[in-house]
């Protein structure tokens, strides 16, 4: 890894004792984890993996039992739905993707958080909205909020709307050189669905600039594609932006955007879809072998901003028509060690029992992929992990690499024929967890369990100093209850693998 790569990696909040090996260890973790499942060997005793058994734990600042955590760990609740913010706006619903940056004050952290609001156009219920601000769509209900927090005390120094006028802001990724957050719309809705403008785009949220009462102007980056976006990751060496697609029930593509000017994404560029070299329509969703290296080429999306209202071919249809590879529900995306890692939430051979999609594909429990960019060539795609069943990992969404080389995966098991109860969460049929992967042997372990409701975990990210894991509980995307919450989790990280 070059000096630039290492600086970039450590600059993402992973600079701790031993952090210089973090990304490489994390890759080894995925490989070891895959080996247990592939060989059928008996994994290590779960009691000796991770941080030990979990217990129902009350929040330090509210007293509510919302999470189950290992002994010695604690958490505070930040930015609960309905809480008045510094700009006078009530904290919106549907807390989703998020990133952590150094704060403007000593010991503080700045969080930029998505809100996947799915209410009708213009609905006031849980809306991300600042009257009179520069909004792309006057009826937009989604957007982002920014929180300046002190993770030691749990104090929210200030919080405010940082972008509005968008819809269904699901995940995203950090901008080049940590200049801010790229927030993504997980939809292709438009005027036909009651909105004033077309949607399905990526938007920029600058780290500096938005202040209480003055959100950033929401301007779509149309050249980056109009499709059901999930997350992005930026390669710091090239400025290329890698994008995942999550259009449930249909084959999805993995994209890259080659900007004309990496510092100015609005200047345009070329959108492409991944294709397995020499094979049209390669199906990555099932029948794959972990560790196999698949050579990659890229096909151009000729019309990245299609007139879907006029019947134009979608970005996905364009890419698949040129032989693009098929995935299922691509979600979390992360750059490290010169590679891009991304989750296929419902890929894999072990099936969850849900009804098949429109093309007959039956959902699996999830896959983790690694794309290694090529030097002058298309690169290589590797399946580094595939879940054998719900107990080990059920529907991975966001992912993050940790300060000391572990991995945290956010589960998004919203519903399934295969119920997923948990002894620490009686009464819940589909329980979501934060799953850690131990770099010492690749064994998965439960790091946290949402015992409050059945909504997904999202937005996991570490503070720049590595002391605090932030994570969101989505809550409802269309109602005030259950509420969205942001957690700041602290504990004896050095006693375990993360």
């Amino acid at each position: 890894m070059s000096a630039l790569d290492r600086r970039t990696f450590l600059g993402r909040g992973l600079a701790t004792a031993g952090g210089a090996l973090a990304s490489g260890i994390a890759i080894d973790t995925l490989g070891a984890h895959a080996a247990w499942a592939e060989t059928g060997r008996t994994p290590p005793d779960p009691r000796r993996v991770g941080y030990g058994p979990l217990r129902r734990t009350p929040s330090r600042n509210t007293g509510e039992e919302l999470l189950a955590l290992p002994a010695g760990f604690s958490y505070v609740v930040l930015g609960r739905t309905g809480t008045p913010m510094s700009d006078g706006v009530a904290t919106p619903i549907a807390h989703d993707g998020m990133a952590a940056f150094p704060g403007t004050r000593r010991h503080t952290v700045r969080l930029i958080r998505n809100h996947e609001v799915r209410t009708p156009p213009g609905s006031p219920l849980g809306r991300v909205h600042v009257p009179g601000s520069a909004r792309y769509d006057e009826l937009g209900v989604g957007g982002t909020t920014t929180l300046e927090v002190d993770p030691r005390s749990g104090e929210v120094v200030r919080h405010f709307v940082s972008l509005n006028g968008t819809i269904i802001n699901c995940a995203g990724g950090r901008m080049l050189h940590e200049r801010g957050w790229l927030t993504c719309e997980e939809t292709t809705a438009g005027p036909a669905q009651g909105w004033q403008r077309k949607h399905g785009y990526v938007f920029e949220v600058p780290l500096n600039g938005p202040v209480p009462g003055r959100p950033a102007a929401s301007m779509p980056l149309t050249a980056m594609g109009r499709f059901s976006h999930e997350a992005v990751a930026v390669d710091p060496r090239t400025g290329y932006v890698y994008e995942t697609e999550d259009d449930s029930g249909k084959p999805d593509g993995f994209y890259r955007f080659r900007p004309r000017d990496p510092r100015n994404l609005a200047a345009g560029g070329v959108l492409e879809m991944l294709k397995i070299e020499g094979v049209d329509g390669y199906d990555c969703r099932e029948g794959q072998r972990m560790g196999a290296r698949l050579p990659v080429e890229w096909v151009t999306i000729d019309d990245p901003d299609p007139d879907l209202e006029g019947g134009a071919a979608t970005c996905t249809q364009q890419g698949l028509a040129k032989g693009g590879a098929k995935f299922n529900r691509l979600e979390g995306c992360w750059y490290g060690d010169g590679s891009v890692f991304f989750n296929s939430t419902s890929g894999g051979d072990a099936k969850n029992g849900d009804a098949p999609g429109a093309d007959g594909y039956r959902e699996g429990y999830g896959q983790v992929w690694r794309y290694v960019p090529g030097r002058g060539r298309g690169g290589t795609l590797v399946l580094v992990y595939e879940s054998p069943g719900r107990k080990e990992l059920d529907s991975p969404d966001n992912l993050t690499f940790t300060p000391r080389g572990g991995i945290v995966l956010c589960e998004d098991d919203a519903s399934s024929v295969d119920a997923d109860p948990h002894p620490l969460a009686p009464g819940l049929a589909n329980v979501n967890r934060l799953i850690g992967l131990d770099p010492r042997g690749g064994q998965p372990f439960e790091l946290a369990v949402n015992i409050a409701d059945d909504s997904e975990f999202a937005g996991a990210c570490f503070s720049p100093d590595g002391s605090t894991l932030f994570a969101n509980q989505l809550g409802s995307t269309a109602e005030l209850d259950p509420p969205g919450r942001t957690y700041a989790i602290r504990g004896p990280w050095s006693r375990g693998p993360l």
Side-chain angles (χ1 to χ4, degrees):
M1 180 181 293
S2 68
L4 174 61
D5 293 338
R6 180 62 60 202
R7 287 195 300 271
T8 301
F9 179 75
L10 295 179
R12 293 182 182 271
L14 304 180
T16 62
L21 296 177
S23 60
I25 295 174
I27 293 168
D28 293 341
T29 299
L30 284 169
H33 188 197
W36 289 113
E38 193 171 39
T39 63
R41 290 181 294 162
T42 302
D45 185 342
R47 294 170 297 181
R48 299 186 179 182
V49 175
Y51 294 87
L54 275 58
R55 61 187 68 183
R56 295 173 66 96
T57 305
S59 164
R60 289 200 337 249
N61 61 339
T62 71
E64 302 169 281
E65 286 190 345
L66 304 170
L67 299 179
L69 295 171
F73 282 79
S74 65
Y75 65 99
V76 294
V77 179
L78 309 169
R80 182 185 187 276
T81 290
T83 303
M85 296 191 294
S86 305
D87 55 5
V89 177
T91 300
I93 63 174
H95 298 26
D96 211 313
M98 185 169 64
F101 302 87
T104 58
R105 305 182 187 183
R106 188 181 181 188
H107 301 307
T108 65
V109 176
R110 175 166 284 200
L111 301 172
I112 303 179
R113 178 181 63 197
N114 275 7
H115 293 272
E116 189 186 325
V117 183
R118 291 180 177 268
T119 56
S123 171
L125 181 64
R127 184 182 185 185
V128 187
H129 181 65
V130 176
S133 59
R135 293 187 298 277
Y136 170 64
D137 190 331
E138 289 298 317
L139 299 179
V141 294
T144 67
T145 53
T146 294
L147 298 81
E148 190 94 11
V149 304
D150 185 337
R152 301 170 307 162
S153 65
E155 177 190 5
V156 179
V157 178
R158 61 176 183 165
H159 45 161
F160 52 90
V161 173
S162 46
L163 183 119
N164 62 166
T166 56
I167 64 174
I168 311 181
N169 294 72
C170 191
R174 294 170 178 269
M175 294 170 61
L176 183 67
H177 305 316
E178 312 298 313
R179 293 181 294 114
W181 172 250
L182 294 170
T183 182
C184 302
E185 293 183 315
E186 189 188 7
T187 183
T188 55
Q193 289 76 36
W195 306 102
Q196 287 189 345
R197 309 287 295 273
K198 301 188 303 180
H199 290 274
Y201 301 114
V202 178
F203 295 77
E204 293 182 333
V205 186
L207 180 61
N208 299 311
V211 296
R214 289 192 296 170
S218 48
M219 300 297 294
L221 301 170
T222 56
M224 293 183 68
R226 184 188 182 194
F227 56 87
S228 188
H229 285 274
E230 182 71 26
V232 302
V234 180
D235 184 336
R237 298 172 303 179
T238 61
Y240 292 177
V241 185
Y242 293 88
E243 310 176 50
T244 57
E245 179 181 32
D246 180 11
D247 191 357
S248 297
K250 301 175 183 178
D252 295 317
F254 181 64
Y255 299 84
R256 77 175 178 186
F257 176 64
R258 296 190 289 112
R260 293 192 183 97
D261 179 356
R263 293 177 176 270
N264 180 16
L265 299 180
V270 177
L271 182 68
E272 300 168 314
M273 181 186 282
L274 180 143
K275 177 182 185 291
I276 300 305
E277 189 175 279
V279 183
D280 288 342
Y282 188 91
D283 197 335
C284 296
R285 298 174 296 181
E286 56 191 355
Q288 302 306 297
R289 181 170 62 85
M290 289 183 285
R293 300 175 63 83
L294 302 172
V296 164
E297 55 184 301
W298 295 88
V299 297
T300 302
I301 305 300
D302 298 315
D303 182 8
D305 186 16
D307 179 15
L308 303 181
E309 291 72 19
T314 66
C315 289
T316 317
Q317 290 168 340
Q318 295 176 60
L320 295 180
K322 291 186 175 185
K326 300 176 183 178
F327 296 90
N328 187 260
R329 291 190 62 195
L330 293 186
E331 300 205 17
C333 194
W334 189 89
Y335 177 87
D337 200 34
S339 301
V340 179
F341 295 83
F342 57 97
N343 287 333
S344 170
T345 298
S346 302
D349 292 341
K351 304 302 182 181
N352 64 20
D354 283 358
D359 67 346
Y361 173 74
R362 294 183 300 121
E363 292 186 345
Y365 286 102
Q367 300 167 319
V368 183
W369 292 89
R370 178 191 184 192
Y371 167 68
V372 186
R375 301 284 186 178
R377 301 186 62 186
T380 305
L381 182 69
V382 182
L383 176 63
V384 291
Y385 174 66
E386 182 171 293
S387 176
R390 64 173 173 82
K391 291 185 178 180
E392 190 169 36
L393 178 66
D394 190 350
S395 307
D397 192 320
N398 293 168
L399 80 161
T400 189
F401 282 27
T402 76
R404 299 193 305 122
I407 298 167
V408 175
L409 297 163
C410 299
E411 287 190 329
D412 176 14
D413 179 22
S415 63
S416 174
V417 170
D418 184 8
D420 191 13
H422 196 284
L424 291 173
L428 296 179
N430 290 289
V431 172
N432 286 291
R433 305 168 295 175
L434 291 178
I435 297 294
L437 297 184
D438 189 333
R440 299 170 297 189
Q443 174 68 2
F445 61 91
E446 292 181 346
L447 176 63
V449 176
N450 175 8
I451 60 176
D453 57 56
D454 63 359
S455 66
E456 67 188 78
F457 275 109
C461 54
F462 275 86
S463 60
D465 67 359
S467 67
T468 306
L469 172 63
F470 298 99
N472 289 327
Q473 179 181 306
L474 181 71
S476 174
T477 59
E479 302 289 344
L480 296 177
D481 190 53
R485 297 181 178 92
T486 295
Y487 299 118
I489 303 171
R490 295 171 65 85
W493 299 109
S494 61
R495 295 182 188 174
L498 302 183

